[in-house]
């Protein structure tokens, strides 16, 4: 089959979170299954762009409202990522260093989607499926079906839309309607949700199939979806959950170049200890104590606002028997609190405020426990990376976390689970982690070994997506 993924992120070209990881890995695994797989993202000005070879494959022009823009499409020459990578360049809109958080994000991503549809409508043949990811590409299923400029060529091309995170929907006022190329005006309702243009809602209505990144998240969305609950309920017939996998070539402690000492299941004790030594040395922590880490965006969804209180409570209540390290960025208030706590709890707690791919790898390898108290977690990749690196996940029972982690109190369980995103539940779980680390070494070693043998690679899920596409064949 010929599959085109369209997304705002793709690792290692441009990544902010899990979306980047997924779009960097799923296409590679699909290509390995023998399919022709293309990934299209905006041409941001990131390092990857300057370090690789490109060829120009198309140039065109379109309107964004009354503003005419020129775009070009370039292709990476060497198939470096294991699939065909295309970047769309639009000067003045996409030629920025960051991916999001500009005032004109609506204009940027609508122009990207228009350019994509325009380019595709000029191909000599049609792909078998267009797979769109999250709200930045959510208008494509509508555009290919109903915008006159594209529908004559593309209306019958199947579209699949994956919801990686329904919190963000890309809403904009109807005053921006004229950005969307002329369309069959009877269909305006397919763009609308609660009197705004809602790209996520539009994609759920217009895509031929909708997927979310875990089964539990699919069910949760029917009663908690930031206003779209009824829509998810209404469209359940065409919706399903497919669990994300991890790129087990990149996330492999045996070959990972970011870590100090490589290891596998046989060498896990010594390997992890060397990495822990490095980490504790860098952050002035005690290597003999269990090390509990948090890696991720410092936002309410991840319950990062609870970290300052939960960590200080845990240090007091458990008499400093565990050490903590946080890597993340996000809400400036939380960042400030975590920065301040470094001085208050020196020797017990430390933090790195910012984004560091290399430090995140060292932390998965060197930590004993990874904490994820998330309020919402569509799939969660961190816990799967932790499993692969022999680091025990401590997770709240929600979304993909409850689909991938079982509590060590249950038969064959290998993680720590708790029910509420609360300071009390986290502090209590820290107590269980300390007890496990200090008093149950045999169980702890068994858990490590068991976790590392689990297969969370993309093999199975990549196949499930293919089956879904096959069911749409024209
Ligand atoms: P989300 O997509 O909601 O942020 P996921 O668990 O799906 O959460 O994916 C998070 C990804 O982003 C992981 O690869 C994680 O290691 C990475 N990550 C998040 N914050 C940072 C950071 N500050 N530095 C390095 N990597 C980070």
């Amino acid at each position: 089959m010929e599959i085109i993924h369209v997304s705002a992120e793709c690792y290692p070209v441009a990544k902010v979170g899990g979306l980047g990881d997924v779009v960097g890995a799923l296409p590679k695994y699909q290509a390995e299954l023998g399919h022709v797989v293309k990934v299209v993202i905006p041409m941001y000005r990131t390092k990857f762009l300057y370090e690789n070879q490109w060829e120009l494959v198309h140039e065109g022009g379109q309107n964004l409202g009354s503003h005419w823009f020129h775009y070009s499409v370039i292709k990476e020459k060497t198939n470096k990522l294991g699939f065909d990578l295309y970047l769309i360049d639009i000067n003045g809109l996409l030629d920025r260093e960051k991916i999001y958080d500009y005032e004109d994000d609506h204009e940027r991503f609508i122009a990207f989607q228009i350019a994509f549809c325009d380019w595709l409508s000029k191909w000599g043949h049609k792909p078998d499926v267009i797979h769109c990811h999250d709200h930045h590409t959510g208008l494509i299923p509508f555009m290919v079906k109903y915008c006159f400029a594209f529908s004559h060529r593309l209306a019958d091309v199947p579209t699949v839309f994956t919801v990686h995170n329904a919190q963000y929907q890309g809403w904009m006022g109807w005053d921006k309607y004229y950005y969307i190329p002329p369309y069959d005006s009877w269909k305006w309702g397919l763009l609308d949700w609660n009197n705004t243009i809602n790209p996520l809602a539009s994609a759920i209505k217009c895509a031929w199939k909708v997927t979310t990144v875990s089964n539990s998240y699919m069910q949760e969305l029917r009663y908690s979806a930031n206003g779209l609950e009824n829509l998810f309920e209404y469209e359940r017939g065409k919706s399903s959950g497919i669990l994300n996998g991890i790129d087990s070539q990149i996330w492999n402690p045996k070959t990972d170049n970011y870590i100090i000492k490589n290891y596998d299941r046989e060498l896990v004790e010594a390997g992890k200890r060397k990495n822990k030594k490095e980490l504790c040395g860098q952050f002035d922590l005690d290597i003999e104590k269990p090390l509990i880490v948090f890696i991720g965006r410092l936002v309410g969804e991840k319950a990062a606002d609870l970290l300052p209180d939960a960590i200080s409570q845990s240090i007091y209540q458990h008499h400093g028997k565990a050490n903590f390290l946080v890597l993340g960025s996000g809400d400036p208030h939380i960042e400030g609190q975590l920065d301040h706590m470094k001085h208050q709890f020196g020797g017990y707690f430390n933090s790195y405020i910012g984004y560091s791919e290399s430090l995140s790898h060292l932390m998965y390898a060197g930590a004993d426990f990874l904490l994820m108290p998330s309020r919402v977690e569509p799939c969660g990749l961190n816990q799967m990376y932790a499993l692969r690196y022999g680091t025990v996940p401590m997770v709240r029972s929600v979304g993909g976390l409850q689909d991938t982690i079982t509590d060590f109190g249950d038969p064959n369980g290998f993680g720590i689970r708790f029910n509420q995103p609360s300071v009390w539940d986290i502090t209590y779980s820290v107590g269980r982690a300390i007890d496990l680390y200090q008093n149950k070494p045999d169980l702890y070693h068994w858990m490590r070994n068991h976790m590392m043998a689990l297969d969370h690679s993309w093999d199975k899920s990549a196949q499930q997506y293919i089956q879904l596409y096959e069911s749409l064949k024209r």
Side-chain angles (χ1 to χ4, degrees), residues 15-19 21 165 251 295-297 301-302 327-329 354-357 360 364 372 377 380-382 385:
K15 163 177 164 181
V16 171
L19 172 64
D21 284 336
N165 194 331
W251 296 95
I295 301 169
R297 294 180 295 121
E301 247 183 87
K302 303 278 176 197
L327 163 64
S329 61
Y355 187 93
S356 170
E357 193 71 30
S360 75
Y364 290 115
M372 295 181 77
E377 195 60 81
L381 294 171
N382 299 19
Y385 299 147

Side-chain angles (χ1 to χ4, degrees), residues 6-57:
V6 204
S7 164
E9 299 180 35
C10 172
Y11 178 83
V13 196
K15 163 177 164 181
V16 171
L19 172 64
D21 284 336
V22 171
V23 179
L26 169 63
K28 181 164 78 180
Y29 281 77
Q30 290 179 331
E32 280 167 13
L33 291 172
H35 302 282
V36 177
V37 190
K38 302 178 156 72
V39 173
V40 186
I41 66 165
M43 182 172 143
Y44 313 106
R45 299 306 190 254
T46 62
K47 220 167 111 208
F48 190 91
L49 174 69
Y50 300 110
E51 290 174 351
N52 290 279
Q53 303 274 315
W54 305 89
E55 61 183 312
L56 181 68
V57 292

Side-chain angles (χ1 to χ4, degrees), residues 70-194:
H70 170 264
Y71 70 89
S72 37
V73 186
I74 58 171
K75 180 180 175 212
E76 196 271 321
K77 271 184 176 173
T78 61
N79 199 269
K80 189 169 184 178
L81 303 183
F83 49 79
D84 293 337
L85 172 68
Y86 295 86
L87 307 182
I88 295 186
D89 189 25
I90 304 174
N91 273 330
L93 285 172
L94 300 177
D95 50 344
R96 318 252 175 101
E97 273 175 33
K98 279 195 308 172
I99 302 177
Y100 315 116
D101 293 338
Y102 295 102
E103 272 187 3
D104 57 351
D105 276 357
H106 292 307
E107 288 79 348
R108 298 172 66 226
F109 287 108
I110 294 178
F112 167 65
Q113 295 174 87
I114 294 174
F116 169 76
C117 293
D118 188 62
W119 171 47
L120 207 63
S121 68
K122 305 218 154 92
W123 281 21
H125 69 285
K126 295 178 190 182
D128 291 299
V129 64
I130 305 172
H131 189 156
C132 306
H133 299 265
D134 270 356
H135 74 84
H136 320 95
T137 59
L139 294 171
I140 292 173
F142 177 88
M143 286 184 185
V144 294
K145 252 182 168 166
Y146 303 114
C147 288
F148 304 123
F150 317 127
S151 57
H152 64 288
R153 285 279 303 149
L154 302 175
D156 62 344
V157 178
T159 48
V160 171
F161 183 73
T162 296
V163 182
H164 296 257
N165 194 331
Q167 293 301 108
Y168 309 98
Q169 302 175 0
W171 322 261
M172 64 193 109
W174 271 100
D175 55 329
K176 298 207 181 278
Y177 78 95
Y178 63 97
Y179 286 150
I180 299 169
Y183 55 89
D184 177 356
S185 56
W186 285 98
K187 304 291 184 212
W188 71 272
L190 292 172
L191 295 166
D192 182 80
W193 192 257
N194 273 344

Side-chain angles (χ1 to χ4, degrees), residues 212-399:
T212 61
V213 290
S214 70
N215 266 319
S216 290
Y217 188 52
M218 183 86 257
Q219 284 157 25
E220 286 167 13
L221 287 172
R222 292 183 192 132
Y223 56 86
S224 171
N226 210 358
L228 299 186
E229 300 76 13
N230 290 344
L231 182 60
F232 278 105
E233 177 60 39
Y234 185 75
E235 297 289 8
R236 64 190 293 168
K238 67 174 182 189
S239 309
S240 58
I242 299 181
L243 194 67
N244 282 341
I246 62 174
D247 189 328
S248 51
Q249 289 153 11
I250 291 176
W251 296 95
N252 182 356
K254 206 171 168 183
T255 52
D256 191 331
N257 287 330
Y258 287 124
I259 66 180
I260 297 296
K261 176 82 186 156
N262 290 116
Y263 60 93
D264 55 13
R265 276 170 77 201
E266 275 71 56
L267 301 172
V268 58
E269 297 304 322
K272 279 189 78 72
R273 195 164 169 87
K274 281 237 163 76
N275 289 298
K276 185 174 177 184
K277 194 169 170 209
E278 172 67 23
L279 206 53
C280 290
Q282 279 185 27
F283 288 94
D284 190 25
L285 298 169
D286 183 349
I287 186 171
E288 299 308 330
K289 292 181 181 171
L291 177 60
I292 302 176
V293 302
F294 174 96
I295 301 169
R297 294 180 295 121
L298 300 177
V299 294
E301 247 183 87
K302 303 278 176 197
D305 49 305
L306 300 179
L307 290 175
D309 277 351
I311 291 173
S312 38
Q313 277 293 326
S314 297
I315 294 174
Y316 286 130
Q317 272 196 27
H318 303 298
H319 311 289
K321 284 185 188 154
N323 279 180
F324 296 85
L325 179 60
V326 171
L327 163 64
S329 61
D331 181 336
H333 180 66
I334 307 174
E335 288 184 353
Q337 280 180 302
L338 292 171
D339 207 40
H340 176 73
M341 280 172 60
K342 278 192 211 175
H343 311 291
Q344 200 182 350
F345 294 105
Y348 296 96
F349 166 81
N350 213 329
S351 62
Y352 180 101
I353 303 301
Y355 187 93
S356 170
E357 193 71 30
S358 58
L359 177 58
S360 75
H361 284 245
L362 184 63
M363 285 170 70
Y364 290 115
D368 300 301
F369 298 90
L370 176 93
L371 176 62
M372 295 181 77
S374 310
R375 291 194 175 89
V376 183
E377 195 60 81
C379 174
L381 294 171
N382 299 19
Q383 82 280 13
M384 296 198 257
Y385 299 147
L387 295 175
R388 185 116 167 98
Y389 283 70
T391 301
V392 178
M394 299 169 61
V395 304
R396 183 191 163 218
S397 302
V398 68

